[in-house]
């Protein structure tokens, strides 16, 4: 594996399914045993460790679903099995409304040093329209408790472009998040994903002109408050960027444990052999055979687009050396295509980074790469 690899661990249950969500998450039932799921994660890990033999991980992301439905002892079992670097970034996603059963201090003691709280909105009517199980005051309470219990690296997820929202309401939401002074803010535009409840019964969303006004005003407010935009939706203060996600965006290596989790592993750096891994996504199927991992090679022909789909999301892009090390391709070999994009003002001619125009029209830029 490449150096500075990360590991993603998936926890596939939620109290209930939100109507906009297409993540691999399932309403929890009384017959689900979280202890048995952790047993499966351990088996999954042992099988992958023997296959890929990573020395140690620089980052861990405990994501979901709703990982905070699992208690600190269960998280401790997961973290105890993993070889971690001394200063590893260990993030857990936590949903307000599910954190009351355990103390944040115990999660901290288990080894989690970064929290990602799913605030989504600070307007109770919007939270209800999103099918969330918590109020804005529960989010504030969870945040305050996490701070009190020692978390000095907190991200808030907030969405904009919500049903019935006008630019003033979107800004009020963002200001409420900024007032809490998290180290990191993920500010996502709500998208309607196929096969979700919102795709079947789509609510009335803000018109394009209002969306544009929200985006401009929001980016300005984040910047004035000291949040540096380093990826399309990610904003960090004082350099507290999410190292785990940066590794994805740079097409670095990571393992994926748990139901439906994906990994990307460089098997032989010299021969530039890269595989994608995937576990069964149905929790029941996964738990029946946790060591059953599918492996799909990433052919050279797909690596340029796979790399760029990630790297071009970064405002600073990446270095040519990262491109070559993480894809096994030569920068010189992609020059004809790259110079055409540069001539259209979409990318820098010298390295993998967009211009502001390219970042704004990233989807169009990526489809030109895919069609090439
Ligand atoms: C893995 S998800 C869920 C984390 C956690 N279970 C929660 O809901 O708070 C991470 C984040 O993606 C964002 N997200 C999920 N679905 C989205 C959608 N359809 N459009 C935009 N953002 C979305 C939400 O902000 C969410 O917190
Ligand atoms: S709580 Fe998070 S992961 Fe679960 S359904 Fe809602 S958005 Fe999806």
């Amino acid at each position: 594996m490449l150096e500075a690899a990360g590991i993603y661990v998936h926890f596939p249950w939620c109290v209930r399914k939100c109507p906009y969500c297409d993540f691999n998450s399932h309403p929890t039932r009384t017959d689900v045993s979280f202890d048995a799921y952790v047993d499966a994660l351990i088996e999954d890990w042992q099988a992958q460790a023997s296959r890929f033999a990573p020395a140690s991980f620089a980052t861990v992301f405990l994501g979901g679903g709703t990982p905070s439905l699992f208690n600190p002892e269960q998280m401790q079992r997961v973290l105890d099995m993993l070889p971690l670097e001394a200063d590893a970034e260990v993030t857990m996603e936590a949903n307000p409304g599910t954190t009351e059963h355990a103390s944040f201090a115990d999660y901290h003691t288990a080894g989690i040093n970064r929290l990602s709280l799913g605030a989504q909105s600070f307007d109770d009517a919007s939270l209800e329209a999103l099918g969330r199980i918590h109020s804005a005051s529960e989010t504030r309470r969870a945040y305050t408790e996490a701070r009190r219990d020692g978390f000095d690296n907190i991200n808030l997820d907030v969405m904009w472009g919500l049903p019935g929202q006008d630019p003033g309401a979107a800004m009020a939401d963002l200001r409420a998040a900024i007032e809490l002074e998290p180290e990191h803010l993920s500010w996502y535009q709500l998208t309607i994903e196929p096969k979700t409840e919102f795709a079947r019964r789509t609510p009335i969303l803000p018109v394009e002109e209002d969306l544009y006004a929200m985006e401009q005003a929001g980016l300005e407010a984040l910047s004035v408050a000291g949040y540096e935009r380093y990826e399309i939706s990610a904003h960090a203060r004082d350099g507290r960027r999410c190292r785990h996600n940066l590794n994805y965006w740079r097409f670095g290596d990571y393992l994926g444990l748990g139901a439906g989790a994906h990994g990307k592993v460089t098997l032989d750096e010299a021969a530039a052999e890269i595989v994608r891994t995937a576990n069964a996504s149905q929790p029941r199927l996964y738990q029946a055979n946790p060591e059953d991992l599918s492996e799909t090679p990433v052919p050279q022909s797909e690596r340029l687009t796979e790399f760029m789909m990630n790297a071009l999301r970064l405002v600073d892009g990446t270095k040519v050396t990262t491109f070559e090390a993480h894809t096994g391709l030569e920068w010189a070999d992609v020059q004809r295509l790259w110079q055409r994009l540069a001539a259209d003002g979409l990318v820098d001619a010298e390295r993998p980074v967009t211009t502001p125009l390219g970042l704004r029209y990233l989807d169009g830029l990526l489809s030109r790469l895919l069609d090439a």
Side-chain angles (χ1 to χ4, degrees), residues 5-41:
I7 183 161
Y8 175 80
V9 190
H10 193 68
F11 297 86
W13 291 285
C14 295
V15 172
R16 67 169 187 240
K17 183 84 185 171
C18 303
Y20 55 87
C21 174
D22 78 339
F23 287 88
N24 182 26
S25 60
H26 307 264
T28 187
R29 300 181 318 254
T30 45
D31 60 339
V32 169
S33 162
F34 291 163
D35 283 322
Y37 187 74
V38 174
D39 292 341
L41 289 175

Coordinates of all heavy atoms in Angstrom, one line a residue, residues 5-41:
A5 N -1.8 5.8 4.3 CA -3.1 5.2 3.9 C -4.1 5.5 5.0 O -3.7 5.7 6.2 CB -2.9 3.7 3.7
G6 N -5.3 5.5 4.6 CA -6.4 5.7 5.6 C -7.3 4.4 5.7 O -7.1 3.5 4.9
I7 N -8.2 4.4 6.6 CA -9.2 3.3 6.7 C -10.5 3.8 7.0 O -10.7 4.7 7.9 CB -8.7 2.2 7.7 CG1 -9.7 1.0 7.7 CG2 -8.5 2.7 9.1 CD1 -9.1 -0.3 8.2
Y8 N -11.5 3.3 6.2 CA -12.9 3.8 6.4 C -13.7 2.6 7.0 O -13.5 1.4 6.6 CB -13.6 4.2 5.1 CG -15.0 4.5 5.2 CD1 -15.4 5.7 5.7 CD2 -16.0 3.5 5.0 CE1 -16.8 6.0 5.9 CE2 -17.3 3.8 5.2 CZ -17.7 5.0 5.6 OH -19.1 5.3 5.8
V9 N -14.4 2.8 8.1 CA -15.2 1.8 8.7 C -16.7 2.2 8.7 O -17.0 3.3 9.2 CB -14.8 1.5 10.2 CG1 -15.5 0.2 10.7 CG2 -13.3 1.4 10.3
H10 N -17.6 1.3 8.1 CA -18.9 1.7 7.9 C -19.9 1.1 8.9 O -19.8 -0.1 9.2 CB -19.4 1.3 6.5 CG -20.7 1.9 6.1 ND1 -20.8 3.3 5.8 CD2 -21.9 1.4 5.9 CE1 -22.1 3.6 5.6 NE2 -22.8 2.4 5.6
F11 N -20.8 2.0 9.4 CA -21.8 1.5 10.4 C -23.2 1.8 9.7 O -23.6 2.9 9.6 CB -21.6 2.3 11.7 CG -20.3 2.0 12.3 CD1 -19.2 2.7 11.9 CD2 -20.1 1.0 13.3 CE1 -17.9 2.5 12.5 CE2 -18.9 0.7 13.8 CZ -17.8 1.4 13.4
P12 N -23.9 0.7 9.3 CA -24.9 0.9 8.3 C -26.3 1.1 8.9 O -27.3 1.0 8.1 CB -24.9 -0.4 7.5 CG -24.4 -1.4 8.5 CD -23.5 -0.7 9.5
W13 N -26.5 1.5 10.1 CA -27.8 1.7 10.6 C -28.1 3.1 11.1 O -27.2 3.8 11.5 CB -28.1 0.7 11.8 CG -28.2 -0.7 11.4 CD1 -29.2 -1.3 10.7 CD2 -27.2 -1.7 11.5 NE1 -28.9 -2.6 10.5 CE2 -27.7 -2.9 10.9 CE3 -25.9 -1.7 12.1 CZ2 -26.9 -4.1 10.9 CZ3 -25.2 -2.9 12.1 CH2 -25.7 -4.0 11.5
C14 N -29.4 3.5 11.0 CA -29.8 4.8 11.5 C -31.1 4.6 12.2 O -31.8 3.6 12.0 CB -30.1 5.7 10.3 SG -28.5 6.1 9.4
V15 N -31.5 5.6 13.0 CA -32.8 5.5 13.7 C -33.9 5.4 12.7 O -34.8 4.5 12.7 CB -33.1 6.7 14.6 CG1 -34.5 6.7 15.2 CG2 -32.0 6.7 15.8
R16 N -33.9 6.2 11.7 CA -34.8 6.1 10.5 C -34.1 6.7 9.3 O -33.1 7.4 9.4 CB -36.1 6.7 10.8 CG -36.2 8.2 10.9 CD -37.7 8.6 10.9 NE -37.7 10.1 10.9 CZ -38.3 10.8 11.8 NH1 -38.9 10.3 12.9 NH2 -38.3 12.1 11.7
K17 N -34.6 6.3 8.1 CA -34.0 6.7 6.9 C -34.4 8.1 6.5 O -35.6 8.4 6.4 CB -34.4 5.7 5.8 CG -33.8 6.0 4.4 CD -32.4 5.4 4.3 CE -31.7 5.7 3.0 NZ -30.3 5.3 3.0
C18 N -33.5 9.0 6.2 CA -33.8 10.4 5.8 C -34.2 10.4 4.3 O -33.6 9.6 3.5 CB -32.7 11.4 6.0 SG -32.1 11.4 7.7
P19 N -35.2 11.2 3.9 CA -35.8 11.0 2.6 C -34.8 11.5 1.5 O -35.1 11.2 0.3 CB -37.0 12.0 2.6 CG -36.8 12.9 3.8 CD -36.0 12.1 4.8
Y20 N -33.7 12.2 1.8 CA -32.8 12.6 0.7 C -31.6 11.8 0.6 O -30.7 12.0 -0.2 CB -32.3 14.1 1.1 CG -31.7 14.2 2.5 CD1 -30.4 13.9 2.7 CD2 -32.5 14.5 3.6 CE1 -29.8 14.0 3.9 CE2 -32.0 14.5 4.9 CZ -30.6 14.3 5.0 OH -30.1 14.3 6.3
C21 N -31.5 10.7 1.5 CA -30.2 10.1 1.7 C -30.0 8.8 0.8 O -30.9 7.9 0.8 CB -30.1 9.7 3.2 SG -28.6 8.7 3.5
D22 N -28.9 8.8 0.1 CA -28.6 7.5 -0.7 C -27.4 6.8 -0.2 O -26.8 6.0 -0.9 CB -28.5 7.8 -2.2 CG -27.2 8.4 -2.6 OD1 -26.5 9.0 -1.7 OD2 -26.8 8.3 -3.8
F23 N -27.0 7.1 1.1 CA -25.9 6.3 1.6 C -26.4 4.9 2.0 O -27.6 4.7 2.1 CB -25.4 7.0 2.9 CG -24.6 8.2 2.5 CD1 -25.2 9.5 2.4 CD2 -23.2 8.2 2.3 CE1 -24.5 10.6 2.0 CE2 -22.5 9.3 2.0 CZ -23.1 10.5 1.8
N24 N -25.5 4.0 2.2 CA -25.9 2.6 2.6 C -26.3 2.6 4.1 O -25.5 2.3 5.0 CB -24.7 1.7 2.3 CG -25.1 0.2 2.6 OD1 -26.2 -0.2 2.6 ND2 -24.0 -0.6 3.0
S25 N -27.5 3.0 4.3 CA -28.0 3.1 5.7 C -29.4 2.5 5.8 O -30.2 2.6 4.8 CB -28.0 4.5 6.2 OG -28.9 5.3 5.4
H26 N -29.7 1.8 6.9 CA -30.9 1.1 7.0 C -31.5 1.4 8.4 O -30.8 1.5 9.4 CB -30.6 -0.5 7.0 CG -29.9 -0.8 5.7 ND1 -30.5 -1.3 4.6 CD2 -28.5 -0.8 5.5 CE1 -29.5 -1.5 3.7 NE2 -28.3 -1.2 4.2
P27 N -32.9 1.5 8.5 CA -33.5 1.7 9.8 C -33.1 0.6 10.7 O -33.1 -0.6 10.3 CB -35.0 1.7 9.5 CG -35.1 1.9 8.0 CD -33.8 1.4 7.4
T28 N -32.7 0.9 11.9 CA -32.3 -0.1 12.8 C -33.5 -0.9 13.4 O -34.6 -0.3 13.4 CB -31.4 0.4 14.0 OG1 -30.9 -0.7 14.7 CG2 -32.2 1.4 14.9
R29 N -33.3 -2.2 13.6 CA -34.4 -3.0 14.2 C -34.0 -3.6 15.5 O -32.8 -3.6 15.8 CB -34.8 -4.1 13.2 CG -35.2 -3.6 11.8 CD -35.5 -4.9 11.0 NE -34.5 -5.9 11.2 CZ -33.5 -6.2 10.4 NH1 -33.4 -5.6 9.2 NH2 -32.6 -7.2 10.7
T30 N -35.0 -4.1 16.2 CA -34.6 -4.6 17.5 C -33.8 -5.8 17.5 O -33.0 -6.1 18.4 CB -35.9 -4.9 18.4 OG1 -36.8 -5.6 17.5 CG2 -36.5 -3.6 18.9
D31 N -33.8 -6.6 16.3 CA -33.1 -7.8 16.3 C -31.6 -7.6 15.8 O -30.9 -8.5 15.5 CB -33.8 -8.9 15.4 CG -34.0 -8.4 14.0 OD1 -33.9 -7.1 13.7 OD2 -34.2 -9.2 13.1
V32 N -31.2 -6.3 15.6 CA -29.8 -6.1 15.1 C -28.9 -6.1 16.3 O -29.2 -5.5 17.3 CB -29.7 -4.7 14.4 CG1 -28.3 -4.3 14.2 CG2 -30.5 -4.7 13.1
S33 N -27.8 -6.9 16.2 CA -26.9 -6.9 17.3 C -25.6 -6.2 16.9 O -24.9 -6.6 16.0 CB -26.5 -8.4 17.7 OG -25.3 -8.4 18.4
F34 N -25.4 -5.0 17.6 CA -24.2 -4.2 17.2 C -22.9 -5.0 17.6 O -21.9 -4.8 17.0 CB -24.3 -2.9 17.9 CG -25.4 -2.0 17.4 CD1 -25.8 -0.9 18.1 CD2 -25.9 -2.2 16.1 CE1 -26.8 0.0 17.5 CE2 -26.9 -1.4 15.6 CZ -27.3 -0.3 16.3
D35 N -23.0 -5.8 18.7 CA -21.8 -6.5 19.1 C -21.4 -7.5 18.0 O -20.2 -7.7 17.7 CB -22.0 -7.3 20.4 CG -21.9 -6.3 21.6 OD1 -21.1 -5.4 21.6 OD2 -22.7 -6.5 22.5
A36 N -22.4 -8.2 17.4 CA -22.2 -9.2 16.4 C -21.6 -8.4 15.1 O -20.7 -9.0 14.4 CB -23.5 -9.9 16.0
Y37 N -22.0 -7.2 14.9 CA -21.5 -6.4 13.8 C -20.0 -6.1 14.0 O -19.2 -6.3 13.1 CB -22.3 -5.2 13.5 CG -21.9 -4.4 12.3 CD1 -22.3 -4.9 11.0 CD2 -21.1 -3.3 12.3 CE1 -21.9 -4.2 9.9 CE2 -20.7 -2.6 11.2 CZ -21.1 -3.1 9.9 OH -20.7 -2.4 8.8
V38 N -19.7 -5.8 15.2 CA -18.3 -5.5 15.5 C -17.4 -6.8 15.3 O -16.3 -6.8 14.8 CB -18.1 -4.9 16.9 CG1 -16.6 -4.8 17.3 CG2 -18.8 -3.5 17.0
D39 N -18.0 -7.9 15.7 CA -17.3 -9.2 15.5 C -17.0 -9.4 14.0 O -15.9 -9.8 13.6 CB -18.2 -10.4 15.9 CG -18.3 -10.5 17.4 OD1 -17.5 -9.8 18.2 OD2 -19.3 -11.1 17.9
A40 N -18.0 -9.0 13.2 CA -17.8 -9.1 11.7 C -16.7 -8.2 11.2 O -15.9 -8.5 10.4 CB -19.1 -8.9 11.0
L41 N -16.7 -7.0 11.8 CA -15.7 -6.0 11.4 C -14.3 -6.6 11.7 O -13.3 -6.4 10.9 CB -15.9 -4.7 12.1 CG -17.1 -3.8 11.7 CD1 -17.2 -2.6 12.6 CD2 -16.9 -3.3 10.2

